[in-house]
Amino acid sequence: MNSYGSFPGARPRRLRTTPAMRRMVAETRLHPADLILPAFVREGITEPVPIQAMPGVVQHTRDTLRKAAVEALEAGVSGIMLFGVPEDEKKDAVGTAGTDPDGILQVAIRDVRAEVGDELVIMSDLCLDEFTDHGHCGVLDADGRVDNDATLERYAEMAQVQADAGVHVVGPSGMMDGQVGVVRDALDTIGKEDVSILAYTAKYSSAFYGPFREAVGSSLKGDRKTYQQDPANLHESLRELALDLEEGADMVMVKPAGPYLDVLAKVAASVDVPVAAYQISGEYSMVEAAAEKGWIDREKAILETLTGIRRAGGQMILTYWATEAAQWLSAGRR
């Protein structure tokens, strides 16, 4: 006892005394089932191609993608989000390869579905940027601007071919006005009422997408500021949220995750549908680069970032560390 009697009367440190105590009273718990693995599959390659800006991540062949899906399933990961990378000569102004039933993304969906069936939730990026020669997420008008309504027609076609290929969830990510409603109608029209929509509700124009551009072989010149959200805005995201829900979104997403945890928390507090967050390429690469230099503890940093996203309200986390992190969690590391 000190000169202040029993001061301090409250001692929160009692609940931090041992690993077992901290584990027992933890308010936020990460589980492998919270995680979704984004994966890239590239047309016309026979070996995986390392992505230089994302150490440890590759552009898969069809065979290695199937193996990655199985590995994710065995680790307890819930889903896999597929991105297709076509051959350059197949890119055109309207992203024809994105709606070709035999295009790389549709082929990959069929491959993974044949490999894992319904045991892993198969998701697909529903956007044109990987397939256009100009790299934008939609069709351009005569003045070189993205034509919202012409793009919606292409998204409807994409949704239908992806559903026919066997996808469980489509992820319209282009931030076109009305995209969720158009995709829902397109799916229902062909009897694919069971295919879910994960709406990219709050997708910000971000510097952290840089490494992703290499991952998908982007042809983009310029930026996407006329359709992706301004990083300065939060209330705009809530308006987008209301519209997506009204149009029939089954799940909603905030992207990027780490720099927008406040937005994620607001969205999560506002809805009764599942909320996803995408820990994007730049977030991944910063941790990997710092860890490679020995500046941070890699495993601890990864789990801390994922815990922060989960704590902010992300029920599903898309992360390139999904399989590895799931293996750690299954082994009791946290």
Side-chain angles (χ1 to χ4, degrees):
M1 185 176 297
N2 57 38
S3 59
Y4 296 99
S6 61
F7 177 85
R11 294 184 182 270
R13 287 182 57 188
R14 293 181 185 127
L15 301 184
R16 306 171 197 154
T17 51
T18 67
M21 178 68 79
R22 294 190 293 274
R23 184 171 62 248
M24 184 177 73
V25 302
E27 299 173 26
T28 302
R29 298 183 192 279
L30 271 176
H31 188 276
D34 300 332
L35 307 178
I36 296 166
L37 177 68
F40 308 100
V41 57
R42 179 173 168 180
E43 189 172 25
I45 58 174
T46 57
E47 297 290 336
V49 176
I51 299 168
Q52 297 302 315
M54 299 177 68
V57 180
V58 301
Q59 294 172 326
H60 284 286
T61 68
R62 290 174 60 187
D63 285 340
T64 64
L65 177 66
R66 285 192 288 261
K67 293 174 183 175
V70 171
E71 185 181 18
L73 173 62
E74 291 174 345
V77 170
S78 284
I80 186 167
M81 173 66 80
L82 302 178
F83 295 85
V85 184
E87 295 173 312
D88 283 344
E89 57 268 26
K90 293 185 178 179
K91 295 182 179 183
D92 61 21
V94 296
T96 301
T99 51
D100 180 353
D102 295 319
I104 183 59
L105 183 52
Q106 285 67 253
V107 168
I109 292 169
R110 290 196 291 271
D111 285 344
V112 175
R113 186 68 185 265
E115 191 72 36
V116 299
D118 294 329
E119 293 186 72
L120 190 68
V121 179
I122 302 167
M123 304 177 169
S124 54
D125 181 54
L126 201 165
C127 195
L128 290 171
D129 60 318
E130 297 101 315
F131 305 102
T132 54
D133 53 13
H134 48 72
H136 278 287
C137 297
V139 179
L140 303 184
D141 64 18
D143 296 319
R145 298 172 299 190
V146 175
D147 185 324
N148 192 93
D149 295 0
T151 299
L152 293 181
E153 294 179 18
R154 300 289 295 129
Y155 286 2
E157 294 179 57
M158 290 189 79
Q160 291 177 339
V161 296
Q162 291 177 3
D164 284 338
V167 79
H168 296 107
V169 179
V170 293
S173 62
M175 291 300 290
M176 296 298 120
D177 295 338
Q179 62 185 14
V180 172
V182 165
V183 167
R184 183 72 272 159
D185 287 346
L187 293 169
D188 293 351
T189 296
I190 62 169
K192 297 294 184 180
E193 295 90 351
D194 288 344
V195 174
S196 300
I197 298 176
L198 170 57
Y200 282 59
T201 292
K203 183 178 180 181
Y204 284 87
S205 178
S206 173
F208 293 98
Y209 294 129
F212 180 87
R213 306 272 164 82
E214 178 191 343
V216 297
S218 175
S219 304
L220 180 67
K221 295 179 179 62
D223 58 50
R224 299 185 173 122
K225 292 182 179 180
T226 63
Y227 45 102
Q228 293 178 351
Q229 284 183 236
D230 186 337
N233 294 349
L234 186 153
H235 293 295
E236 183 181 22
S237 293
L238 301 181
R239 184 184 184 199
E240 294 277 5
L241 174 65
L243 291 168
D244 283 352
L245 293 175
E246 182 180 342
E247 292 173 24
D250 300 290
M251 301 169 275
V252 296
M253 184 195 291
V254 174
K255 179 181 181 181
Y260 298 91
L261 293 181
D262 59 326
V263 179
L264 176 59
K266 283 280 190 181
V267 169
S270 302
V271 300
D272 56 4
V273 299
V275 177
Y278 197 146
Q279 185 179 55
I280 67 170
S281 59
E283 298 176 73
Y284 172 93
S285 296
M286 286 193 301
V287 171
E288 289 289 347
E292 189 275 330
K293 288 185 173 293
W295 292 344
I296 58 174
D297 182 306
R298 179 177 179 272
E299 181 177 326
K300 289 180 180 178
I302 291 169
L303 291 176
E304 185 174 338
T305 62
L306 294 174
T307 299
I309 296 167
R310 186 73 184 85
R311 187 185 64 246
Q315 297 164 266
M316 304 172 293
I317 305 173
L318 288 84
T319 176
Y320 300 99
W321 291 304
T323 300
E324 187 176 17
Q327 292 166 343
W328 295 340
L329 294 169
S330 296
R333 284 138 68 179
R334 60 178 292 275

